[in-house]
Amino acid sequence: MLKETAEKALLLGQPKTREGHVATYIPELGKVDPSGLGICIFTKDGEKIRVGDTDTRFSIQSISKIISLAIALEAYGKNKVFENVGMEPSGDAFNSLLKLENADGTPYNPLINAGALVISSYMVQMYTFEEVLENVRRLCMDPDIVLDIKVCHSEMSNLSRNRAIAYLLESKGVLHADVEKTLNFYVKMCSLSVTAESLANLGLVLAGGGIHPVTGERLLKEETVRIVKTIMLTCGMYDGSGEFAVRVGIPSKSGVGGGIISVVDGELGIGIYGPSLDEKGNSIAGIAMLEYISKEMGFHMFGQRKN
Amino acid sequence: MLKETAEKALLLGQPKTREGHVATYIPELGKVDPSGLGICIFTKDGEKIRVGDTDTRFSIQSISKIISLAIALEAYGKNKVFENVGMEPSGDAFNSLLKLENADGTPYNPLINAGALVISSYMVQMYTFEEVLENVRRLCMDPDIVLDIKVCHSEMSNLSRNRAIAYLLESKGVLHADVEKTLNFYVKMCSLSVTAESLANLGLVLAGGGIHPVTGERLLKEETVRIVKTIMLTCGMYDGSGEFAVRVGIPSKSGVGGGIISVVDGELGIGIYGPSLDEKGNSIAGIAMLEYISKEMGFHMFGQRKN
Amino acid sequence: MLKETAEKALLLGQPKTREGHVATYIPELGKVDPSGLGICIFTKDGEKIRVGDTDTRFSIQSISKIISLAIALEAYGKNKVFENVGMEPSGDAFNSLLKLENADGTPYNPLINAGALVISSYMVQMYTFEEVLENVRRLCMDPDIVLDIKVCHSEMSNLSRNRAIAYLLESKGVLHADVEKTLNFYVKMCSLSVTAESLANLGLVLAGGGIHPVTGERLLKEETVRIVKTIMLTCGMYDGSGEFAVRVGIPSKSGVGGGIISVVDGELGIGIYGPSLDEKGNSIAGIAMLEYISKEMGFHMFGQRKN
Amino acid sequence: MLKETAEKALLLGQPKTREGHVATYIPELGKVDPSGLGICIFTKDGEKIRVGDTDTRFSIQSISKIISLAIALEAYGKNKVFENVGMEPSGDAFNSLLKLENADGTPYNPLINAGALVISSYMVQMYTFEEVLENVRRLCMDPDIVLDIKVCHSEMSNLSRNRAIAYLLESKGVLHADVEKTLNFYVKMCSLSVTAESLANLGLVLAGGGIHPVTGERLLKEETVRIVKTIMLTCGMYDGSGEFAVRVGIPSKSGVGGGIISVVDGELGIGIYGPSLDEKGNSIAGIAMLEYISKEMGFHMFGQRKN
C-alpha cells in the first residue's frame, strides 16, 4: 500500500511543480529543470520504493546542515556545540541578520545560515573537507556523492549575504575559525550532489536511531540522532516549520536545491527531489506529496498509523 | 517503576524551587508559596500517580491557551481559526509586539498572548464565559474548577501591556470582537483555578487522541488534538520551546502560575505544579522533573522507551 | 518680492495637489477638498502676505504637538519634560511601536505620537483642555480656534493604534496620567480647527524668540522657543525631516490635516494649508511651495539670503 | 571675549576627560592619552584662537565622512550621491545593521558607517586615495596630514563588523565598487592624522560657504557646503545628534579619535581634540566645551548672538 500511496503522491505532485520556481539567487541552481520530481522511501524492513526522478543528482544545499550538525555533535558533544548556537526556531527567514543584531550574536539554531556557519567553524578546526565528504558518503550509503564544482563556484560568486552574516558572527565573537575558511567549508557542504535515494538512506539511518539498516553498524550515537530529529521538526522547513509540523508532522529538512529528507521515526526514511520551490524555499510538490502520504498512512507523529 | 521515578523526580525538583522566583507582574500571583511542588501522572491503563502538592489549586494562566485553542478548533474548524493566527514559533518573548508591528499583524501562533487574544475574540462571539468554563471542567474532569476572583482582579488591574497588544491587533484588523470584551474573556480564562490533577486528566485526554479515558466518550476531534499537541511541542514552553523539545521531547504547555501540562502521546498525561519560575516563565523545578522523567523512562518522542 | 514669490509658489503648488491624497485613516479628514491650497507669510516688519486659501479652517493634527511641547516646557521646565521623552529623530514612522519595544519605553522625541502622548500626560495633570485652548488662541493670535467636534469624534472612533501606543507606554511606566484621559486630551489637541493665518501668526512668534510681534509681549521663554525650533528642524516633517532640512532648511512642522508651520528665524512665520499629502503624511504641495520659496529667497538656514 | 571663553571652556573641560574612556575597539586608538584636550577657533576676521593641545596629531576617524561626502557631492552631484543613501537620521547606533535589513538596503544617511561605505564606493571609482588625500590637505589647509599606518593596520585587523555591513550592502545591490577596495579606502580615510587646527581650518571653509578664508578661492560649491552642514546638524553626533542640536545647536561632526569639527555659520570654524569619549562615541569634554561656548557666546543656530 505504501508504494501505491507514493505513486499517487507523485501524480498529485507533478502539476504542483508548475506553481513554484527554481532557486535563482545561485545562478547555477536556476538552470535545473523545474518539472523534475521523485520520491524514494526506504523502510527498516528492507522495502525500497522508488518513484519518479530518484537517481537525478542535485545540490544538497541546506540539507547538509543536519549532516554537519550530526558530525559536530559526534565530534564535540552536545554541550560544546550548543555553547554558541541555540536550539530555538527563530521566526525569521533563514538568512536574516535581525536576531543576531538584537541579541548577543548567538544564532537561534543550527539550521539557519548563521547557525550553520558557527557549526562549520567547528568542523574546519577538526576535519578536512575530504574527511567530511567521506563521512557524508558513509551516512548516505552513497559513494558517488561528489562536490558539484559548478554550483560551488556559482555560490562562491554570490556569497555577499552569507559573508555579511559570517563577519557579523566574527565581530560578535561566536565564530571559532577563520571566516573565509569557514565560508569555504560551508559552501562546499551546500554544493554536494546527492539523489533522492541518498537522502532516503540517511533518513532510514536517522529513523533507526543511528544504526545502519543492513549491517546493523552504529553510524551515529542515539543522542545525536535524537537531537537532529528534534531540531529538524522544529526548524527544518525554514520559517514554514511550524505549519509543516502541524500539517505533516514528520521531522524533515529541505534545501533550495529541491531536496527534502524526512524521517518517520522507527520506521522509514524518505528522500524527495523536486526543485520547484514555494516562496519560503521548500520544494512545493515535495511538501504536497509529504502531506498526502502523511495523511494517507497516518505518519503524523501525533496521528494514528493506518495500514 | 513510573511511581518511583516520579518520587525521585520530586526529590530532585524540590531544591530547584529555591533557584527561581514566583511571577510578580500579577501581584496576586506573587503571594503564592514558591516551595510548592507536585506531579501527577495518569496513564491510559488507569494508573494514577500523585506525588507532592497535587491538589493545591493554582492559576492556570497560559495553559488556558491550549484549551481555548482546542475549543475554537472544535467550533470554527482549522481553516477559520488559522485565518488570522499562524502556526510558527516566533522566536520572541510571549508578550512581544515586535513581530506584530513588522508584519501584517497576524500573530505567529495561538500560544503567544497576541495569538491567544485573536482566539479569544473568536470565543466571545460564540460562547459565554460560563459555557466555556463548563467545557473546561469537562475536559479536565474536574467540576471544582472556578474563576479565582482575586487573580482576575489583580490581572485586570495590570493589563496595560496586553491591552496594548489587543488594540494593536484591532488596528491591524485581526481581532474579531470588541477589544475590552476580548480582554475580559482572556483574563478570565487565565484566572481559572486548577490542580496538577486537573492538568493530568486533560493531558490523558490529549494522549488518547481526544477520548475520555474512563467512559470512552470522544471529547475532542482527533484533528483538534493532533494540532494542539503539535503546537504545544513547537511553541508550548515560551521562547524555551526549542530547547525543551530537544532535552525533554514531550509536548507541554506551561503557565506563569507554575503549572505544566505534558502529554506522552498514546500513553499518559502529566500535570505539574511548581510556582517558582525560571527567567522564561516556566516552572523551574517542573522542567527539571520532566527532563529527569523523560530520560529515565525514555519518554522523548524520538527516544527509545524504557521499561 | 516676497509676495510675488509666494504667488508663484502657489501656481507651482496647485497642480501638485493632484499628485497626493487626503488623509483617510481618520474618516472625517477624508472628506476635505484635496485641491485646497493657501500660504500665509507674516514678517516681523508687519508685512502680511495671504495667497490662496488662507482662511479655510482645517484640522491642526500633529502641529498641535509643538504647541503642547511649548506649553509643557513653560510649565515644567526642560529637565522635567525630557525625563521620559528624548530629543532624537527616530528614523521610523510617526506611529511606530518598534523603538518603544526595543528600548526602555522612552519615546524618541515629542513629535512622534508616543512622545506627544507622554507630553499630553503632563498637560492633563496641570491644565484643563479649556485652559490650553485659551493658550493656543493666544499663541496663534486667533480667538476663533475651536474644537472640531466631528473630527474629534471621528478620531476617537479610530484610535486603536494610538491606544496601543498609550497602553504600551503605561506598561513601561513612562505615562504620567490616566491613559484614557491622556488620549482624550491628545485627540482634542489634534482636533483643533486653525487656518494658515493662525499658523503664520504662531510662526512669527517663534521667529521672534517668543515675543508677540505687535504688542512686544513675551508669550514664550527664549529657551522654550529655541528648543521647539530645533526639534521642529530635526523631527518636524515625520520621517522625511532629514531630507526636508537639506532641501528646504526651515524649521517646520506638518500635520495630516494638510497644515505646515514654518519659521524663518528672526524674520517671519509661514502658515500653509494643502490637505493633499505625500506618502509620509506631509502636504505635497506645501513642501513644493516651501522648497521653491526657500530657494528663491535664500531662506535655507545655511544658505545665503537673497533680496 | 571669544578667547577668554575658550580658555574657560578648556578649564571646564579638563576634569571631564576623566569621566570618559578612549576608544578601544580599534586597539591602536586605545593607546592615546585620555587627558589630551585642545580647542582651536578660527574666525572669518582672521582671529586664530588656540587653547590646549591644538597641534597634537590624532586619528580623524568618522570626521572623514563629511569630507568624503563633500568630495563625492562635488564629483557626482547631489542626485547621483543620494540615489543609494538617504538624508535621514537613523535613530540607531552608527554601526547598526537593523535598518539595512528591514528596508531596501539604502543606508539612512552618509554619516553612519553603512552610508559612508556607499560614498566610499563612489570615491574609489573616480579617485586614487592619494588624490583624495591631496584634496583633504587642501580643504584643511594642512599639508602635513598623513595616513597613520599603525591606526590603519589596527583598524584593518578589526574590521569584521564593517566588513559585515559592506557585504550586506553588496548583497542589497547598493555598493558601487568592489567590497574590499571600498573597505580599504574607507579605513584609510578614517586613519588620516589631523590636528584640532586642521579641523578649525576646514570648519572655517564650511562657515564661509566653501571659500578659502585667506585667498578667497572657492574650494567647495555653495550647495555642497549647505548639504554637508545640514547633515552634520541632523546626523553628525551619532545617536546623540538630536540632543546636541538642542543643547549646542552648532553643526558638528565627531570621530572616535576624539576630534570634533564645528561650524558657526558665516562666522567661524572650531576644531577640538579630546580623545576621552562618552558612551555614544563623542568627545566627552569636547561636548562640554561646545555647550559652554555656545551658551556664553549665543552660538546656537536659533539663539541670540551675544558679544
Side-chain angles (χ1 to χ4, degrees), chain A residues 95-98 101-102 160-161 163-164 167-168 170-172, chain D residues 95-98 101-102 160-161 163-164 167-168 170-172:
Chain A
N95 60 2
S96 175
L97 289 94
L98 291 179
E101 185 64 342
N102 276 324
S160 311
R161 192 176 180 84
R163 211 169 238 127
Y167 279 106
L168 185 57
E170 188 184 59
S171 79
K172 299 271 184 175
Chain D
N95 60 2
S96 174
L97 288 94
L98 290 179
E101 185 65 341
N102 276 324
S160 310
R161 192 175 180 84
R163 210 166 239 131
Y167 280 105
L168 186 56
E170 187 183 58
S171 79
K172 300 268 185 179

Side-chain angles (χ1 to χ4, degrees), chain C residues 247-259:
Chain C
R247 291 193 189 283
V248 181
I250 303 172
S252 300
K253 179 75 200 89
S254 62
V256 294

Side-chain angles (χ1 to χ4, degrees), chain D residues 173-236:
Chain D
V174 297
L175 216 61
H176 299 258
D178 174 75
V179 175
E180 292 297 329
K181 214 178 273 184
T182 299
L183 283 163
N184 193 270
F185 179 87
Y186 173 88
V187 170
K188 278 182 175 165
M189 287 300 290
C190 288
S191 305
L192 294 178
S193 250
V194 294
T195 64
E197 201 163 320
S198 337
L199 298 180
N201 272 321
L202 175 58
L204 185 52
V205 172
L206 296 176
I211 290 173
H212 190 292
V214 177
T215 66
E217 183 197 0
R218 178 161 290 284
L219 296 176
L220 294 168
K221 288 180 207 150
E222 203 208 310
E223 184 185 50
T224 295
V225 173
R226 194 173 64 233
I227 294 173
V228 167
K229 283 186 287 200
T230 307
I231 294 183
M232 284 167 72
L233 186 72
T234 54
C235 314

Side-chain angles (χ1 to χ4, degrees), chain A residues 240-255:
Chain A
S241 300
E243 184 166 345
F244 185 85
V246 168
R247 291 193 190 283
V248 181
I250 304 173
S252 300
K253 179 74 201 90
S254 61

Side-chain angles (χ1 to χ4, degrees), chain D residues 70-90:
Chain D
I71 298 176
L73 283 168
E74 298 279 305
Y76 288 92
K78 182 173 64 170
N79 294 341
K80 186 80 190 153
V81 165
F82 289 108
E83 247 172 33
N84 287 129
V85 64
M87 308 177 185
E88 299 302 325
S90 76

Side-chain angles (χ1 to χ4, degrees), chain B residues 97 101 160-161 164 167 170, chain C residues 97 101 160-161 163-164 170:
Chain B
L97 288 93
E101 185 64 341
S160 311
R161 192 175 179 84
Y167 279 106
E170 187 183 59
Chain C
L97 288 94
E101 184 65 341
S160 312
R161 192 176 180 84
R163 211 168 239 126
E170 187 183 59

Side-chain angles (χ1 to χ4, degrees), chain A residues 28-273:
Chain A
E28 197 62 26
L29 294 184
K31 297 179 182 168
V32 302
D33 175 7
S35 72
L37 194 63
I39 182 164
C40 208
I41 307 178
F42 291 175
T43 75
K44 65 171 176 185
D45 306 322
E47 195 178 355
K48 285 175 185 282
I49 296 166
R50 297 178 183 88
V51 186
D53 304 324
T54 57
D55 55 3
T56 308
R57 293 251 151 223
F58 62 92
S59 189
I60 192 170
Q61 292 299 319
S62 287
I63 301 173
S64 65
K65 293 182 168 93
I66 60 162
I67 303 182
S68 290
L69 173 60
I71 298 176
L73 283 168
E74 297 279 306
Y76 287 92
K78 184 174 61 172
N79 294 341
K80 186 78 188 155
V81 165
F82 290 107
E83 247 172 34
N84 286 130
V85 64
M87 307 178 187
E88 298 302 325
S90 75
D92 295 316
F94 64 96
N95 60 2
S96 175
L97 289 94
L98 291 179
K99 286 260 162 55
L100 295 178
E101 185 64 342
N102 276 324
D104 63 353
T106 298
Y108 263 51
N109 67 65
L111 303 194
I112 54 173
N113 293 12
L117 284 164
V118 172
I119 300 292
S120 295
S121 77
Y122 278 113
M123 301 288 272
V124 297
Q125 286 179 294
M126 194 171 277
Y127 299 114
T128 63
F129 172 69
E130 284 66 32
E131 287 168 338
V132 176
L133 173 55
E134 209 42 62
N135 214 337
V136 176
R137 286 173 178 155
R138 204 169 59 101
L139 289 170
C140 294
M141 290 166 251
D142 177 358
D144 296 335
I145 294 175
V146 287
L147 179 70
D148 184 327
I149 297 291
K150 280 187 185 168
V151 168
C152 186
H153 283 179
S154 188
E155 197 153 349
M156 287 303 295
S157 310
N158 291 275
L159 206 57
S160 311
R161 192 176 180 84
N162 282 329
R163 211 169 238 127
I165 295 174
Y167 279 106
L168 185 57
L169 291 169
E170 188 184 59
S171 79
K172 299 271 184 175
V174 296
L175 216 61
H176 300 258
D178 174 74
V179 175
E180 293 296 330
K181 214 179 271 185
T182 299
L183 283 164
N184 194 269
F185 179 86
Y186 172 86
V187 170
K188 278 184 174 163
M189 287 300 288
C190 288
S191 304
L192 293 178
S193 249
V194 294
T195 64
E197 203 163 321
S198 336
L199 298 180
N201 271 321
L202 175 57
L204 185 52
V205 171
L206 297 175
I211 289 173
H212 190 291
V214 177
T215 66
E217 183 198 359
R218 178 160 289 287
L219 297 177
L220 294 168
K221 286 179 208 152
E222 203 208 310
E223 185 186 49
T224 295
V225 174
R226 193 171 66 232
I227 293 172
V228 168
K229 283 185 287 199
T230 307
I231 293 182
M232 285 167 72
L233 186 72
T234 55
C235 314
M237 302 300 279
Y238 302 120
D239 45 332
S241 300
E243 184 166 345
F244 185 85
V246 168
R247 291 193 190 283
V248 181
I250 304 173
S252 300
K253 179 74 201 90
S254 61
V256 293
I260 304 178
I261 179 172
S262 300
V263 180
V264 178
D265 198 36
E267 303 201 22
L268 50 84
I270 302 177
I272 282 177
Y273 172 59

